[in-house]
Amino acid sequence: MSEQVSRGRPRGGSGTGRVAGPREGATQHRWRTVDTQGGRNIDPADQWVLDPETGDYRLREGTGDAPAPTVPAQGGRRARREGERRSVPEPDEGGGTGGGTRRGGAGRSRKAKRSTKRKVLMWTAGTLGLVLVAGSAGAYLLYRHFNDNISTVDVGSAGSKNATSDDAVNILVIGTDSRIGLGGKYGDAGSVGHADTTILFHVAKDRSNATAMSIPRDMITGIPACPTKQKDGSTKTIKGTPKATYSPRFNESLGQAGRDPGCTMRTVTALTGLPVDHFILVNFEAVKTLSTAVGGVPICLTHDIDDTDERGQGSHLRLPAGPHTVQGEQALQFVRTRHSLKNGSDLDRIDLQKQFLGSMIRQMKSGNTLSDPRKLFKLANAATKSLTVDTGIGGVDKLTALAKDLNRVDPEHITFTTLPVRDNPAEGKSHRTVVVDEARAPALFTALKNDVSLTEVAKKPTASDAKLKGPKADPSQVRVTVYNGGGPQGSAQTTLEWLQNTEGVAHSTNGGNAPGAQQERTTLAYAPGQADQARALAAMMGLSASALQPGKDGSGAGTDMTLTLGRDFKGPGVPVTGPAKPPADVPQSHADKNVCVG
């Protein structure tokens, strides 16, 4: 009769082992758990041991501690799963999981092999604006419990079905002012909530930088028609609302007329031209819970704050000037404050929220959070409970993959900015709403589309850059068919005429509209033997290396290259590469710096 032993090394503390007695009529096994804290102060992950007979985890005898003091008792399915919370037994010296007699893993039972899949590092996402929680090698999650915490919404074609992407990623983080379940504590009891705080988080394709662009809630903009999933599984299309002089406001893209977060995603895409991949929705309670879970968020004020107006309205925050650490109710008051700021406007409040989010990111990526198993557990529990996300990231596995991907961005290169707006000129001196600043906003949108960082980031050479280096063919030797895949109407013909009459590309053809869906970016596809032609056409069109799509087969002799004009195409002779530098007059702050605001 073989005996299964886990040969784990203690991860810290005094490192006590424990042998569980055999169950009646069952093969005898030994389990080893490790007390990483010493005494009764036990790492929550170490309070659970694998029973090889059942493949389930059970609470270690004699711990006397609850594994998750922050997890309330729940009924129904969650209660049943509460009893099945899972963690992972101590890995053996060969990297295996307890239950194997050989380091190579050949002697492990099928149950023990499956248990390896239950190992989940501490990664998840969610806060008022953004949560990036880095993983810790010593922290194992109770997978099924956290997975049950997450709520999802099917937004259909508004987002991506994949959690991660090899391209740039756009995540819409929505802070809703919903009062459902909160009574009259924050006014408007029972309000379904609108898009009160919205941030478009754009992550560059190479993950070298990210930009978090706040979108003012009182901005006048059109809201497109929006298909929404109903409770019975059917789809209902909410009628769009065109832009008028005083309405609709951006925050009406959520909640109003039954609009779901997918409607807000579609509104942002229509406004900026940037496709939104995912959304993360949080409410008032999320700010309180998450700020407490990380031990408080450092903030700094330029002047004293007393945010209660003459009618008794406001966030009711009272703090003197200088540095503070806020959490719980006080953290919520901070991000809601506006009456006692410079102009008492939503734009002023956005400045406070930027500081809060930058500081929250620093807290979550700090060693104090990552090295504390209990704080990690509380943070993961709070984050997943606070989240409502699209089905594309609706699960711990998917959020883990996304968070790992986003964590590649250094906080030094995460920039916060605000969509450029100006006072609504139709309102005269009574400024209640704003409109897009058409003189400044397009430059910012273009910068985001082209992954231009708002911070100074050393550009890493990429393999694609080499595609632009080398000899260029004479224009008379260039052969190309032009398709319109998203440019202005008639773009294929105007480009054809420009190429023939101005650039001397006689062998060019109008292919009409490109088949399939429209594309965001202009592309040039060519055979390996046409590289010199591609470089010549790229120089004429102002194409970047990323726009060039070399094929794998054929010389290309006697055939045409395929130029497909995307939404980024503005006209013949206008470079498609976009700006090399960010717009100079866009206000910004940075996630790695704590500055005083107010």
Side-chain angles (χ1 to χ4, degrees):
M1 182 180 297
S2 63
E3 180 179 64
Q4 294 183 331
V5 181
S6 172
R7 298 172 179 164
R9 289 179 177 174
R11 286 176 287 180
S14 57
T16 60
R18 177 176 181 83
V19 178
R23 301 189 312 167
E24 184 176 354
T27 303
Q28 181 171 346
H29 299 275
R30 291 193 300 166
W31 301 294
R32 178 178 178 128
T33 58
V34 181
D35 181 347
T36 61
Q37 306 295 326
R40 291 169 59 85
N41 185 20
I42 298 173
D43 182 336
D46 290 327
Q47 296 179 1
W48 300 86
V49 290
L50 175 70
D51 183 341
E53 291 295 325
T54 65
D56 289 332
Y57 293 88
R58 64 174 178 77
L59 185 65
R60 185 175 70 176
E61 298 174 2
T63 61
D65 292 319
T70 61
V71 181
Q74 298 171 334
R77 182 179 64 178
R78 287 191 179 181
R80 292 194 297 273
R81 291 189 175 179
E82 187 77 6
E84 300 174 1
R85 285 190 191 143
R86 302 198 171 200
S87 184
V88 179
E90 184 70 13
D92 64 26
E93 294 176 353
T97 304
T101 58
R102 290 161 48 187
R103 294 184 185 181
R108 299 180 188 133
S109 69
R110 294 177 63 88
K111 296 287 186 180
K113 285 184 179 180
R114 285 201 298 270
S115 72
T116 303
K117 297 180 181 179
R118 298 299 185 185
K119 288 185 179 180
V120 182
L121 293 177
M122 172 53 200
W123 294 88
T124 189
T127 184
L128 176 64
L130 173 69
V131 173
L132 296 177
V133 183
S136 170
Y140 296 103
L141 296 186
L142 308 177
Y143 176 88
R144 291 175 66 179
H145 170 75
F146 290 116
N147 213 50
D148 263 1
N149 281 348
I150 302 169
S151 299
T152 62
V153 173
D154 185 353
V155 297
S157 61
S160 172
K161 300 301 181 185
N162 301 316
T164 59
S165 169
D166 292 331
D167 207 336
V169 176
N170 295 300
I171 301 172
L172 197 64
V173 187
I174 308 169
T176 176
D177 55 357
S178 172
R179 270 77 165 178
I180 292 178
L182 301 178
K185 187 174 183 180
Y186 303 108
D188 298 330
S191 170
V192 296
H194 298 88
D196 191 56
T197 298
T198 305
I199 297 175
L200 178 63
F201 190 70
H202 173 82
V203 185
K205 180 176 180 178
D206 64 1
R207 306 303 187 254
S208 64
N209 67 89
T211 300
M213 183 182 72
S214 294
I215 303 176
R217 66 175 188 178
D218 295 325
M219 181 182 67
I220 302 300
T221 186
I223 300 174
C226 176
T228 59
K229 292 284 187 179
Q230 305 299 299
K231 292 182 179 180
D232 61 2
S234 64
T235 298
K236 175 184 178 182
T237 298
I238 309 298
K239 186 178 179 181
T241 307
K243 178 182 176 182
T245 303
Y246 303 103
S247 65
R249 300 188 186 196
F250 175 81
N251 67 346
E252 296 174 30
S253 63
L254 177 68
Q256 196 89 350
R259 294 186 176 112
D260 66 10
C263 301
T264 308
M265 296 169 72
R266 296 175 192 272
T267 301
V268 171
T269 296
L271 178 68
T272 65
L274 290 160
V276 180
D277 299 290
H278 303 291
F279 82 84
I280 295 174
L281 179 73
V282 291
N283 59 18
F284 287 164
E285 289 300 312
V287 182
K288 296 162 61 175
T289 306
L290 287 164
S291 61
T292 301
V294 298
V297 178
I299 54 97
C300 183
L301 297 170
T302 57
H303 66 275
D304 296 350
I305 293 291
D306 185 355
D307 198 62
T308 304
D309 65 14
E310 62 275 5
R311 295 174 297 174
Q313 297 181 347
S315 70
H316 309 300
L317 177 70
R318 297 187 64 182
L319 282 177
H324 302 278
T325 298
V326 295
Q327 61 179 294
E329 187 69 34
Q330 195 174 53
L332 177 59
Q333 290 176 331
F334 180 78
V335 298
R336 296 185 68 214
T337 292
R338 68 180 176 91
H339 294 286
S340 57
L341 303 180
K342 297 175 184 176
N343 301 310
S345 70
D346 181 53
L347 296 178
D348 291 331
R349 178 172 60 176
I350 285 175
D351 289 337
L352 263 66
Q353 293 170 348
K354 290 176 188 174
Q355 186 200 54
F356 182 86
L357 296 176
S359 186
M360 174 76 86
I361 291 172
R362 290 193 300 273
Q363 283 293 97
M364 293 190 173
K365 295 181 69 120
S366 72
N368 290 337
T369 299
L370 300 180
S371 62
D372 186 335
R374 288 184 178 275
K375 186 176 287 189
L376 281 172
F377 181 92
K378 290 167 66 178
L379 181 57
N381 194 52
T384 51
K385 276 188 174 182
S386 304
L387 291 177
T388 298
V389 300
D390 61 278
T391 51
I393 52 174
V396 170
D397 284 345
K398 296 177 180 179
L399 282 173
T400 295
L402 178 62
K404 284 182 178 180
D405 189 22
L406 300 185
N407 194 61
R408 293 159 56 190
V409 183
D410 191 318
E412 180 182 356
H413 298 137
I414 299 177
T415 307
F416 291 92
T417 189
T418 303
L419 192 157
V421 294
R422 58 190 179 92
D423 291 330
N424 189 343
E427 293 178 337
K429 295 182 179 180
S430 178
H431 300 308
R432 297 186 178 183
T433 62
V434 294
V435 295
V436 174
D437 187 337
E438 297 295 348
R440 296 188 300 149
L444 178 58
F445 299 158
T446 301
L448 295 179
K449 290 176 185 177
N450 289 280
D451 285 350
V452 177
S453 174
L454 300 190
T455 63
E456 291 294 331
V457 180
K459 196 66 176 178
K460 300 177 182 178
T462 63
S464 65
D465 293 335
K467 290 184 289 190
L468 294 176
K469 296 179 180 180
K472 299 180 180 66
D474 186 84
S476 63
Q477 302 301 313
V478 174
R479 305 181 66 94
V480 62
T481 297
V482 184
Y483 292 92
N484 188 359
Q489 186 175 0
S491 291
Q493 182 61 31
T494 57
T495 300
L496 175 70
E497 294 171 356
W498 175 77
L499 286 172
Q500 292 179 343
N501 301 328
T502 304
E503 299 299 319
V505 182
H507 299 292
S508 50
T509 306
N510 180 354
N513 291 327
Q518 292 190 341
Q519 60 188 54
E520 288 297 320
R521 297 185 178 184
T522 298
T523 58
L524 177 61
Y526 57 96
Q530 296 174 311
D532 59 340
Q533 296 182 47
R535 286 190 287 267
L537 188 59
M540 299 176 201
M541 298 287 298
L543 299 177
S544 65
S546 61
L548 272 59
Q549 299 179 345
K552 296 181 180 180
D553 302 314
S555 65
T559 61
D560 286 2
M561 299 184 294
T562 300
L563 175 65
T564 305
L565 307 175
R567 289 194 179 100
D568 58 354
F569 178 76
K570 303 305 179 185
V574 180
V576 184
T577 52
K581 295 183 179 180
D585 57 350
V586 175
Q588 53 187 266
S589 58
H590 305 282
D592 67 321
K593 295 179 175 62
N594 188 18
V595 297
C596 294
V597 295

